[in-house]
């Protein structure tokens, strides 16, 4: 089906076009200015970060060569034996991966419990005292801003090497990150149950237990699962500073140029993280879906 | 939310508690099946935690001993001082910001075109979409520090490797977020472009890009914030920035300087949060009007 559209009379078309180009021109000028500023900042940042594009171009084949080196020498004729040789350390690596996941679990659990305790204090709709709120928020901010690896570095000196340190570092960072998200959830609740309980003379703890917690629990669980996923990634690199998990083994492999080990461990890490991603995503959909139906 | 004097309603309810119990038994006693689920999952969580703590060699003695040492460190941190190395730290902080900016922007520029390939409303071919998505997942699942180690082997130690590492790990994250933003964009505008005779590329350029650009820009700003945090630690493996000093100073227990560095990081991140929150509001607000 073709539709014929009548063209406008020329003088009308010309005024419309002029108005259009006038409107577009100012927007264009502004966009151009933003673009120029961004490019200038980009170049400045490149200069500060010692980017050497020519060296990079020279070295880019290093990257492909490196990828070629870490790929295992698999041959089709002798595949099972080659794979077995590639994964010669599988039992040890699996044990370390298990340790990594347990670290992420404990870190998320402890951090989640601490965040649960603190988030109500940081919520504007439950706590009237600005001083308490301010302290709770700043505390969460510090926990969140200092990267977990920095905590791990300090804790390794204080507590000694080992996965316990990694758990503590993850827990502190998780407290900060989850505390903020939790308090945002709490600030968005329906206030009617809270008013109802306050009306009967309930105290702070009773109000939180019976009016707030039932509303926020599934959202909390969903955020905690998301954090668990992030923490698995984080726990994977805790070993770089001696705080347990598979990171130590990976660092040794990459520093000592055990090429096929690098790829073997990397593939294991990727598989684990992707599997946990998928599993937590399904669980979260289940949790949030149940809430939507309720 | 202070404790209030018991109201008349509460007193009436308390007086008639037995009557209330008789009239609404379901409120006072949850169903057994629900209770079993709650208790069961709690037992699972606690059991796993106990197992994990045993497996990871938790010991109360070590924790107490460590806490004692931590309090010593906290004492050593006061007062925070740069001890004459403020200029050096400031340069390193600038380098950190440069790494974060460079990495974020590069990742965004690279992920922008590729994300369209992973969006259902642009690419109808499910195999291509699936492939691109899994590619993003794989790239995303490798931590920034691991990328840094890999790039150090390629371009050598220094901030350049750090910027490349951030660009790589963000490429995966941006790809996922961007393609989701594109998929949730309003369908009407691309349909209008098609109806007036536009090609597929016109559809993307005039129907989708103007709609999603503000959303993407605000995501990029948000990532710039979080990348400033990642860029502070990337120096731990030798990829430039303030992390290098932080690692060294922690290892030699120069706690005053460590405290100073941490304060510098906190202030910088807070400033960037502030600026980017304003910019984001401006961008999103501009799109809404």
């Amino acid at each position: 089906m073709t539709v014929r559209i009548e063209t406008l009379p020329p003088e009308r078309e010309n005024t419309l076009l002029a108005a259009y180009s006038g409107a577009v021109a100012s927007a264009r000028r502004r966009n151009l200015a933003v673009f120029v500023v961004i490019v200038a900042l980009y170049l400045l940042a490149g200069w500060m970060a010692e980017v050497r594009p020519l060296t990079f171009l020279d070295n880019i084949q290093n990257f492909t060569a490196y990828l070629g080196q870490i790929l295992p020498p698999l041959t089709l004729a002798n595949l099972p034996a080659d794979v077995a040789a590639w994964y010669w350390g599988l039992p040890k690596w699996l044990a370390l991966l298990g340790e990594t996941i347990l670290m992420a679990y404990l870190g998320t659990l402890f951090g989640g419990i601490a965040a649960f305790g603190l988030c109500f204090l940081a919520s504007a709709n439950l706590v009237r005292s600005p001083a308490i709120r301010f302290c709770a928020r700043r505390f969460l901010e510090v926990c969140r801003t200092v990267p977990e690896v920095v905590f791990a570095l300090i804790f390794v000196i204080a507590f000694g090497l080992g996965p316990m340190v990694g758990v503590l570092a993850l827990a502190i960072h998780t407290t900060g990150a989850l505390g903020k998200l939790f308090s945002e959830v709490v600030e968005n609740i329906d206030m009617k149950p809270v008013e109802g309980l306050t009306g009967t003379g309930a105290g702070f703890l009773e109000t939180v237990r019976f009016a707030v917690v039932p509303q926020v629990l599934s959202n909390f669980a969903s955020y905690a699962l998301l954090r668990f996923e992030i923490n698995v990634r984080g726990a994977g690199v805790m070993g770089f500073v001696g705080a347990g998990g598979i990171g130590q083994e990976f660092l040794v492999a990459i520093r000592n140029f055990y090429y096929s080990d690098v790829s073997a461990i990397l593939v294991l890490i990727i598989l684990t993280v992707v599997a946990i991603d998928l599993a937590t995503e399904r669980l979260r959909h289940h949790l949030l879906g149940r809430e939507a139906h309720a | 939310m202070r404790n209030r004097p018991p109201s008349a309603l509460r007193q009436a309810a308390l007086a008639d508690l037995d009557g209330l119990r008789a009239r609404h038994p379901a409120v006072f006693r949850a169903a057994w099946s629900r209770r079993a689920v709650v208790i069961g999952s709690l037992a699972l969580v606690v059991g796993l935690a106990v197992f994990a703590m045993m497996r990871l060699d938790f010991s109360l003695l070590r924790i107490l001993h460590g806490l004692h040492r931590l309090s010593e460190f906290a004492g050593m941190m006061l007062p925070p001082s740069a001890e004459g190395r403020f200029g050096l730290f400031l340069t390193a902080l600038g380098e950190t910001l440069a790494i974060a900016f460079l990495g974020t922007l590069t990742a965004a520029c690279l992920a922008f075109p590729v994300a369209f390939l992973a969006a259902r409303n642009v690419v109808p071919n499910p195999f291509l979409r699936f492939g691109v998505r899994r590619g993003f997942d794989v790239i995303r699942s490798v931590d920034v520090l691991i990328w840094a180690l890999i790039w150090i082997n390629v371009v050598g130690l220094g901030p350049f490797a750090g910027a490349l590492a951030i660009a790589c790990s963000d490429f995966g994250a941006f790809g996922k977020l961007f393609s989701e933003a594109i998929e949730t964009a309003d369908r009407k505008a691309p349909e209008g472009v098609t109806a007036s005779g536009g090609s597929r590329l016109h559809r993307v350029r005039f129907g989708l890009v103007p709609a999603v650009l503000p959303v993407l820009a605000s995501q990029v700003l948000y990532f710039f914030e979080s990348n400033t945090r990642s860029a502070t630690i990337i120096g731990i493996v030798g990829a430039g920035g303030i992390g290098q000093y932080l690692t060294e100073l922690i290892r030699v227990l120069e706690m005053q300087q460590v405290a100073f560095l941490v304060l510098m990081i906190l202030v910088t991140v807070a400033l960037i949060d502030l600026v980017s929150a304003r910019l984001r509001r401006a961008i999103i607000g501009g799109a809404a009007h």
Side-chain angles (χ1 to χ4, degrees), chain A residues 11-25:
Chain A
E11 65 275 17
R12 177 89 185 111
E13 193 179 332
N14 282 337
T15 35
L16 281 179
L17 277 179
Y20 176 73
S21 51
V24 167

Side-chain angles (χ1 to χ4, degrees), chain A residues 225-250:
Chain A
L225 280 171
L226 198 67
R227 197 67 220 175
F228 172 61
E229 196 188 307
I230 298 171
N231 279 347
V232 171
R233 251 167 268 182
V237 298
M238 278 296 167
F240 290 6
V241 295
I246 194 140
Q248 177 106 48
E249 199 68 17
F250 185 76

Side-chain angles (χ1 to χ4, degrees), chain A residues 103-116 118 140 143-148 151 166-182 223-228 230-232:
Chain A
M103 276 167 65
Y105 174 73
L106 274 186
T108 316
L109 187 69
F110 292 158
I113 292 171
F116 184 83
L118 284 170
L140 292 175
C143 289
R144 182 167 76 232
T145 306
V146 180
E148 61 245 51
F151 283 125
V167 170
L168 294 179
L170 285 173
I172 290 187
H173 192 75
T174 304
T175 306
L178 280 183
K180 180 184 183 216
L181 291 171
F182 282 5
Y223 276 134
L225 280 171
L226 198 67
R227 197 67 220 175
F228 172 61
I230 298 171
N231 279 347
V232 171

Side-chain angles (χ1 to χ4, degrees), chain B residues 25-175:
Chain B
V27 179
F28 287 94
R29 169 170 289 212
W32 272 111
S33 61
R34 265 198 71 136
R35 216 170 248 198
V37 168
V38 170
I39 292 174
S41 35
L42 261 184
L44 199 71
V45 167
V46 172
L48 196 56
V50 170
F51 168 71
M53 286 202 275
M54 276 162 35
R55 186 70 217 288
L56 301 182
D57 302 328
F58 268 61
S59 89
L60 201 61
L61 202 70
R62 261 181 78 194
I63 293 182
L64 289 178
H65 189 67
L67 282 180
H68 178 65
R69 293 206 64 184
L70 267 188
S71 59
E72 275 176 27
F73 289 168
M76 282 159 72
M77 282 186 175
L78 295 175
S81 108
E83 293 176 17
R85 299 172 77 186
F86 185 62
L88 211 61
F89 291 163
L90 215 55
T91 323
L93 197 62
E95 203 172 276
T96 301
L97 284 179
I99 292 171
F101 185 74
L102 214 57
T104 317
L105 201 59
T106 311
C109 294
L110 293 179
F112 182 66
V114 186
F116 283 96
L117 295 181
R120 186 173 298 134
N121 49 353
V122 179
V123 175
N125 180 347
F127 295 106
L128 178 60
R129 205 169 64 219
F130 185 80
V132 174
R133 288 227 159 145
R134 290 297 91 78
F136 285 145
D137 283 350
V138 167
I139 292 175
R140 209 158 44 90
S141 62
V142 178
D143 193 87
V144 105
L145 281 180
I146 295 180
W147 277 116
L149 279 176
I150 293 175
W151 279 113
I152 284 172
N153 274 341
V154 178
V155 296
L157 293 169
F160 188 29
L164 285 170
I166 287 194
C168 273
S169 77
D170 272 16
F171 176 74
F174 277 148

Side-chain angles (χ1 to χ4, degrees), chain A residues 42 66 105 198-200 203, chain B residues 3-4 7 10 45 62 106 153:
Chain A
Y42 195 69
Y66 188 72
Y105 174 73
T198 320
T200 62
Chain B
N3 278 327
R4 306 214 169 146
S7 65
R10 185 190 173 103
V45 167
R62 261 181 78 194
T106 311
N153 274 341

Side-chain angles (χ1 to χ4, degrees), chain A residues 5-261:
Chain A
I5 300 173
E6 297 293 331
T7 47
L8 291 166
E11 65 275 17
R12 177 89 185 111
E13 193 179 332
N14 282 337
T15 35
L16 281 179
L17 277 179
Y20 176 73
S21 51
V24 167
S26 74
R28 282 232 168 106
R29 267 197 301 277
R30 210 191 59 209
N31 287 348
L32 191 70
V34 170
F35 186 72
V36 166
V37 168
I38 289 179
V39 168
L41 278 176
Y42 195 69
L43 291 178
L44 178 72
W47 174 72
M48 285 189 78
E50 301 165 22
V51 175
R52 302 166 300 263
L54 292 177
T55 338
F56 180 63
L57 285 181
D58 283 345
N59 283 359
I60 194 70
Q61 80 265 22
N62 279 6
F63 184 63
T64 46
Y66 188 72
L67 284 185
Q69 273 170 329
I70 65 172
L71 284 182
L74 294 183
T75 50
L76 205 58
N78 199 10
L79 196 58
D82 279 346
V83 171
W86 185 26
Y87 276 100
W88 63 275
L90 193 61
K92 183 175 62 176
W93 294 335
L94 282 184
L96 283 172
L97 263 181
E99 193 180 293
T100 310
I101 295 175
L102 286 182
M103 276 167 65
Y105 174 73
L106 274 186
T108 316
L109 187 69
F110 292 158
I113 292 171
F116 184 83
L118 284 170
C119 70
F120 303 109
L121 296 181
S123 306
N125 53 350
L126 294 185
V127 176
R128 296 272 160 70
S129 145
I132 293 180
R133 216 163 61 215
F134 181 83
C135 291
R137 285 195 178 166
R138 289 297 90 76
F139 177 71
L140 292 175
E141 206 172 275
V142 170
C143 289
R144 182 167 76 232
T145 306
V146 180
E148 61 245 51
V149 181
V150 174
F151 283 125
L153 271 172
I154 297 178
F155 289 176
V156 160
I157 300 175
F159 295 93
L161 297 170
M164 191 181 83
V165 169
V167 170
L168 294 179
L170 285 173
I172 290 187
H173 192 75
T174 304
T175 306
L178 280 183
K180 180 184 183 216
L181 291 171
F182 282 5
S183 73
E184 275 167 11
V185 172
V186 170
E187 286 185 347
N188 284 323
I189 57 167
D190 180 7
M191 286 302 281
K192 284 190 201 109
V194 177
E195 281 158 21
L197 272 173
T198 320
T200 62
F204 181 75
L205 283 181
E206 287 161 310
T207 316
V208 167
R209 165 67 188 87
F210 292 104
V212 184
V213 170
Q215 290 189 58
V216 295
L217 213 50
S218 59
N219 263 323
F220 278 17
S222 158
Y223 276 134
L225 280 171
L226 198 67
R227 197 67 220 175
F228 172 61
E229 196 188 307
I230 298 171
N231 279 347
V232 171
R233 251 167 268 182
V237 298
M238 278 296 167
F240 290 6
V241 295
I246 194 140
Q248 177 106 48
E249 199 68 17
F250 185 76
L251 191 70
V252 168
I254 214 164
R255 286 265 157 91
N256 296 351
F257 303 104
Y258 300 153
Y259 289 115
S260 67
D261 283 11

